Amino acid sequence: QVQLVESGGGLVQAGGSLRLSCAASGLTFTRHSMGWFHQAPGKERELVAAISWSGARHLTDSVKGRFTISREDAKNIVYLQMNSLKPEDTAIYYCAATNAWSNIATNINEYNYWGQGTQVTVSS
């Protein structure tokens, strides 16, 4: 059974930083592309960043220059480093995984496995 467990969320002031972690189990991590999504109240879940099984990266325009996605295959963990946080970054952040050997995925429908989410709140 695939499990994705996010951690690292919390309350931070605008301009601050957080690092989210997603620990994966029940899958061969090195074969899966991973993504981070966020969902604000009343809004749709949106892609923030993605990283392929081979290390290719994608960042949505609103976070370029502020966020970084990385993966540590030896530990089955994907990270989202978030710097220069803004109040509009406030949302629940979800980790997700594609099926094995999928290329970098920017469409939510390409993701088959999801974590429970972690809350990020940025105060002004």
Side-chain angles (χ1 to χ4, degrees):
Q1 181 179 357
V2 176
Q3 281 194 312
L4 302 176
V5 180
E6 302 96 336
S7 61
L11 173 64
V12 64
Q13 289 187 332
S17 298
L18 286 173
R19 187 177 79 159
L20 305 184
S21 300
C22 171
S25 61
L27 51 72
T28 305
F29 186 72
T30 54
R31 298 178 182 178
H32 293 261
S33 296
M34 305 294 294
W36 284 99
F37 290 75
H38 69 190
Q39 187 168 20
K43 295 189 176 181
E44 293 186 349
R45 194 171 298 187
E46 299 177 329
L47 178 70
V48 175
I51 186 166
S52 74
W53 57 269
S54 62
R57 292 169 172 81
H58 170 85
L59 293 170
T60 194
D61 286 347
S62 63
V63 304
K64 284 181 180 177
R66 300 190 298 125
F67 291 11
T68 304
I69 187 170
S70 61
R71 61 190 296 156
E72 189 169 0
D73 288 346
K75 295 185 177 180
N76 288 8
I77 296 177
V78 60
Y79 301 101
L80 184 68
Q81 177 67 44
M82 306 187 294
N83 299 328
S84 302
L85 282 160
K86 304 176 180 179
E88 51 262 44
D89 295 319
T90 295
I92 299 174
Y93 283 71
Y94 297 90
C95 172
T98 66
N99 281 336
W101 305 123
S102 293
N103 290 326
I104 191 166
T106 59
N107 188 310
I108 192 170
N109 295 319
E110 297 177 271
Y111 289 86
N112 296 92
Y113 308 103
W114 292 87
Q116 292 300 304
T118 185
Q119 176 71 47
V120 171
T121 303
V122 185
S123 63
S124 57

